[in-house]
Amino acid sequence: MKKKLGIYICACGGNISDYVDIEKVKDAVKDEDCVILAKTTMFACGDSNQKDMDADIKANDLSGIVVASCSPKLHLTTFRAVSERAGLNKYNYVHANIREQASWAHSDNKTGATEKAILLVRAAIAKARLAESLEPIVIKSRRSVAVIGAGVAGLKAAISLSRMQDEVFLIERENRIGGNLANLDTISPENISGKELLIRLEEDLKKEKNITLLTNSEVVGNSGNIGDFTLTLKISGSEGSTTKDIKVGSVLVATGFNSYIPADGEFGFNQIANVITLPQFRDILRNADSKKFVFNGKVINSVAYIYCVGSRQVKGENKYCSRYCCTAAVQASLDLKKKYPDIQNYHFTKGVRTYGKQELIYKESNSAGDIYIQFLDKKPPIVTELDGAISIKAGDLLSEKKEIEALADLVVLVTGMVPDKDTSIGSLFKLPKGRDKFFNEIHMKLRPVETVIDGITIAGTCQGPKNVMESVNSALSAAAKSHSFVSKGELELEPIVAYADKSSCNWCNACSDACPFNAISKIEAEGKEVASINKSTCKGCGMCLPVCPTDSIELISFTNKEMESMIDVLAQ
Amino acid sequence: MSRINPKFGKELKKYGATEFNSCYNCGTCTAVCSLSTGDDSFPRSMVRLSETGNEEDISASLKPWLCYYCGECSSNCPQTANPGELMMSLRRWLTAKYDWTGLSGLMYKSLPATIVAMVLIFAGVIGYAASEGFDAEKVMHIGHYFEMFAIAGVFGVILLPNLFRMWYFVIFKPSRKKTAGKAESETEYSSRLTNLLGGIPLRVYLTSLSDFFLHMFTQKRALGCDDNQKRWFEHFILVIGYLTLLFTTVFLDWFSSENMFVIILGYLVSAIVFIVTFDFVTGRIKKNKEVSKHSRPSDWFFVIWLFLMGVTAFLVRLFIDFNIIESNFWLYLFHLTILAQWALIIVPFGKWTHFLYRSFAMYFDKLQKSAAK
Ligand SMILES: Cc1cc2nc3c(=O)[nH]c(=O)nc-3n(C[C@H](O)[C@H](O)[C@H](O)COP(=O)(O)OP(=O)(O)OC[C@H]3O[C@@H](n4cnc5c(N)ncnc54)[C@H](O)[C@@H]3O)c2cc1C
Ligand code: SF4
Ligand code: SF4
Ligand code: SF4
Ligand code: SF4
Ligand code: SF4
């Protein structure tokens, strides 16, 4: 049956019509084959036009529409929704971008802009003639989630998922849960220790019936896709290790961070006695005698803290700020002073970042007489031994950049966060990483816990430095997201995917190499090896199409026929 | 390079600066200070030097004397670090630093020490009067001479050496640091004398003198503070009144004078002194301005004794005019005690010195700037 098309050409309030003669565009396309009606409108996305479109589709029984307006990035979903409201399958709507591609790009040439707009609309009409109705791909989804890593992020996520009645496998590499939290003393803000917090979480965990906790366990295999992953676990026990498969609908990764370990000689580390890292300092302080602070046989009367070690590096790779460490160092220095009031603290910072409520402890420390020195990026402090003490010298931005020296008995390197040294999870799930080598979300602001791999979410510090509160925030939001993948029992996926023609394909691996999402695998069919594309994993990106030597791959909704018909128009 | 000395901050607390540690170096204070300039930027820089305990730079700095304590910085400090009071405390600390006897520091830091000194002087006055059998005429005669000798003695033995020390810390020592390691011929200074004068030519010392007197008698700089006209005017007439009272009693011998002009002048200036100081004292009691909020014993002694001096001098002369001084000789003894305490404690070791140091600070500042050109 012949298509009945409606065409809408938008003025974008002048953004388009100032350069493109939209009436001329309308006149040029109104008599095209299949076109029943063509209209111009001031704002295609406006409510009144949306209502008009709805009425037009119904009144004329349209089987396709073309909207010529701004970039589809802006309003694709708007017009898809209009189509669906009017009872038209949304894949029968085709978009032409005559703002970014015509009016804005050629504002110096109105005639040319108009001609280009006409061609773009004609090409869209050509595609619309061939467009087919599509239905979303519906796949079954298991009501279970694997949470990898049982730090504070993993624990909170698991508890939250369990409370939403999902089955949870909480997988922890170590023999105990809690991750880095277990070693924390006072966590700022609020005066609570990591251990206390962990006890609370453990109690919560015990109450949850839907959680299977697997310690000493690592994920060694992964197959399947969103809704139906199969993970192979290696569980070590006293009698060697066993493997076990679990099936889940979604995976929540919360593998956390490691503390940066300074290189030998970095600020005297491992070369000068009494130069230690913040985590080491925490351990020592916890176990120290209550009357005198003695370390390495030396009574400690003054402590210097050097901030941003392994973070905000000017020369090194870690350009990021680790967020937690200013607060953690100030808190540690306050705890030290509480225990030994006469100790003098010196803080060598790059500018203190105790943001939010944490500012209060900075003020407390300042008022208590701690001295803050702000060193210059280009001139980090120089640490040397001097008469049985340690000298720390730096240019002080706050003292007109003059060089200033502190003598201390102990130097604490305030080390930042780096990604977990075990990178197996990243490679196993093909999780993309940022320049900072932490796992990357899809969009930092708008989709902060999803990854480009469908069904896999990230939470806590495996994504980048966070404090406890931020780790928990992201854990709860990742849990909600993972829950949304599995809660309905089935999932609707975009039907725009690629498929390979088994008869012409002679497995050559080119498409599989090109596919960024690992969607193509080799199967046996018709007595030979051919490519098979997993439609649940395929994202319809099109990378596999041009590399195929036998032209065996088609992308639904962007078929060769459709594309060629458009090119024919444009090339006229 | 300087080594951080946290002990300095603790020492400075004894001079009244208790909150400057909470400064987070935002610079608001410097931005709002109407006397701070690009070359002489304060008070943040002084807060910083205090925090890091850079005694050497503080001793060489004139900035504390360039502040006239309007309190704007303290009212605007987001950390309530009270930079205005820090500047005040640095002035106290500097006063102690300049004082070779060390007594200034002792009295600033210890109220009991000040009280003991005051009591000793009181006992001395009474003891002396008793030894003379409370003979009014004799005591008053000696009292007059005492005033003259006290002034000359305090000036020659205490104040002059202290001014020299101030010059040494501010001008001479820093100039030596600059030329350290260089042979005399290699220094940029044009002559041996200039070298001895801390790198500043004698000519500059002389041409800058006008500035010195201008500031000494007008405290013109204080007018640079916002909304400070009233306080400046009060302070101005107080200084003029005080100096004239000193002149009238010491050189014109007001209490024995028969000259009508001298008598009336004495009444006038002593009245000015006690009226203005009365206003200052009530201000400190009410604490309605930043400058009067944080009174230390040294501040109280200074204004109260000045007030008492004015009042008692006025009354003594009044009693003389009504011829009842002999029957009320206690009044003169009271006056003499106040005077002796003033001249022997408050002037050499107390807040009085700020009169000199401020003027010399302006002078030295002028010297440095002229020499730099
Ligand atoms: C010295 C110090 C002081 C701090 N002070 C504060 C503070 O005062 N306030 C504050 O808010 N924050 C503070 N923090 C930060 C805080 O520790 C973190 O924000 C928080 O612990 C992050 O939790 P997480 O769950 O993301 O990561 P982690 O605690 O690192 O947990 C990750 C877990 O995953 C497990 N894991 C990793 N890889 C695998 C794998 N492949 N398979 C299975 N399991 C795996 C790990 O064993 C670990 O148990 C401090 C950190 C340090 C180091
Ligand atoms: S939180 Fe502070 S110490 Fe840590 S990297 Fe950022 S600025 Fe440096
Ligand atoms: S369209 Fe993209 S995601 Fe789909 S199979 Fe081809 S390359 Fe992979
Ligand atoms: S690139 Fe083409 S021929 Fe090669 S495996 Fe893929 S579909 Fe088959
Ligand atoms: S305003 Fe206060 S906090 Fe800011 S620099 Fe001045 S003293 Fe410091
Ligand atoms: S008290 Fe006034 S003059 Fe002194 S530093 Fe503060 S703002 Fe400046």
Side-chain angles (χ1 to χ4, degrees), chain A residues 344 346 359 362-363 366-367 369-373 386 393 396 398-400 402-407, chain B residues 1-6 10 21-25 41 44-45 48-49 51-52 57 63 78-80:
Chain A
Q344 178 66 46
Y346 302 102
E359 180 71 5
Y362 173 43
K363 172 148 193 182
N366 233 337
S367 312
D370 280 18
I371 295 173
Y372 285 78
I373 297 95
L386 189 80
K393 281 191 202 127
D396 181 23
L398 307 174
S399 303
E400 278 120 47
K402 276 187 238 152
E403 189 165 87
I404 209 166
E405 179 193 39
L407 278 194
Chain B
M1 194 206 49
S2 62
R3 184 172 292 167
I4 301 174
N5 173 15
K10 284 170 195 136
N21 269 327
S22 52
C23 165
Y24 58 21
N25 289 289
S41 121
R44 191 209 65 87
S45 55
R48 189 64 190 158
L49 289 179
E51 174 117 56
T52 53
D57 283 8
K63 288 177 185 175
Q79 289 291 88
T80 54

Side-chain angles (χ1 to χ4, degrees), chain A residues 147-151 153-155 157 172 252-256 439 457-462 475:
Chain A
V147 175
I148 308 178
L155 285 167
E172 170 57 54
L252 190 155
V253 178
T255 46
F439 296 141
T457 56
I458 46 177
T461 46
C462 68

Side-chain angles (χ1 to χ4, degrees), chain A residues 12-301:
Chain A
C12 196
N15 268 307
I16 295 171
S17 57
D18 284 353
Y19 308 103
V20 170
D21 185 342
I22 57 172
E23 289 303 327
K24 206 167 163 188
V25 176
K26 183 186 82 179
D27 291 341
V29 302
K30 70 177 194 296
D31 299 324
E32 288 273 312
D33 190 25
C34 295
V35 173
I36 303 271
L37 66 90
K39 286 182 171 177
T40 56
T41 164
M42 187 52 85
F43 292 107
C45 56
D47 266 359
S48 66
N49 186 63
Q50 289 193 27
K51 283 197 189 104
D52 287 352
M53 286 170 77
D54 187 325
D56 287 348
I57 294 169
K58 284 175 182 152
N60 299 296
D61 196 16
L62 296 182
S63 56
I65 55 169
V66 170
V67 179
S69 65
C70 51
S71 159
K73 279 206 160 176
L74 230 61
H75 281 305
L76 186 84
T77 44
T78 314
F79 297 117
R80 280 187 168 181
V82 175
S83 311
E84 291 203 309
R85 281 204 299 276
L88 179 70
N89 182 285
K90 63 186 177 195
Y91 297 98
N92 282 312
Y93 137 66
V94 178
H95 199 93
N97 178 0
I98 59 166
R99 190 177 76 178
E100 281 81 345
Q101 290 179 3
S103 78
W104 282 359
H106 307 289
S107 52
D108 56 339
N109 179 356
K110 294 186 184 180
T111 329
T114 306
E115 275 167 23
K116 184 172 176 185
I118 292 171
L119 288 178
L120 288 170
V121 180
R122 281 204 182 122
I125 292 170
K127 182 167 190 275
R129 279 193 210 110
L130 298 171
E132 281 173 26
S133 300
L134 301 173
E135 291 309 324
I137 300 168
V138 178
I139 57 164
K140 281 225 170 320
S141 178
R142 296 175 181 277
R143 185 100 195 236
S144 57
V145 179
V147 175
I148 308 178
V152 65
L155 285 167
K156 278 304 286 185
I159 292 166
S160 160
L161 284 162
S162 162
R163 288 185 182 162
M164 292 186 281
Q165 308 306 326
D166 298 335
E167 189 185 6
V168 183
F169 296 96
L170 180 53
I171 303 158
E172 170 57 54
R173 179 177 60 194
E174 308 294 329
N175 60 6
R176 58 154 182 85
I177 60 170
N180 283 290
L181 193 65
N183 297 324
L184 297 188
D185 293 271
T186 320
I187 319 176
S188 182
E190 306 284 341
N191 255 331
I192 181 168
S193 77
K195 210 161 272 151
E196 286 171 280
L197 207 60
L198 187 56
I199 290 170
R200 274 199 221 169
L201 286 170
E202 276 170 332
E203 275 164 17
D204 285 351
L205 189 68
K206 268 184 225 140
K207 284 187 218 135
E208 296 306 321
K209 299 279 168 292
N210 302 322
I211 301 179
T212 310
L213 175 63
L214 299 152
T215 48
N216 291 320
S217 302
E218 273 176 272
V219 185
V220 291
N222 160 44
S223 62
N225 47 264
I226 181 168
D228 187 20
F229 291 100
T230 304
L231 306 187
T232 309
L233 308 183
K234 188 173 129 217
I235 304 171
S236 338
S238 44
E239 295 117 42
S241 59
T242 51
T243 55
K244 170 182 172 172
D245 280 356
I246 57 167
K247 288 183 174 292
V248 291
S250 172
V251 179
L252 190 155
V253 178
T255 46
F257 71 99
N258 288 159
S259 283
Y260 174 81
I261 312 253
D264 284 354
E266 190 173 354
F267 299 108
F269 188 68
N270 275 349
Q271 278 176 4
I272 299 176
N274 285 17
V275 175
I276 58 175
T277 66
L278 181 63
Q280 290 173 325
F281 176 61
R282 271 305 198 179
D283 284 342
I284 294 161
L285 183 59
R286 195 179 313 129
N287 304 319
D289 180 81
S290 62
K291 286 198 195 67
K292 260 194 290 174
F293 187 24
V294 183
F295 178 62
N296 268 347
K298 189 171 170 38
V299 181
I300 309 295
N301 292 313

Side-chain angles (χ1 to χ4, degrees), chain A residues 322-333:
Chain A
S322 288
R323 297 178 69 89
Y324 89 93
C325 23
C326 274
T327 303
V330 174
Q331 186 62 55
S333 70

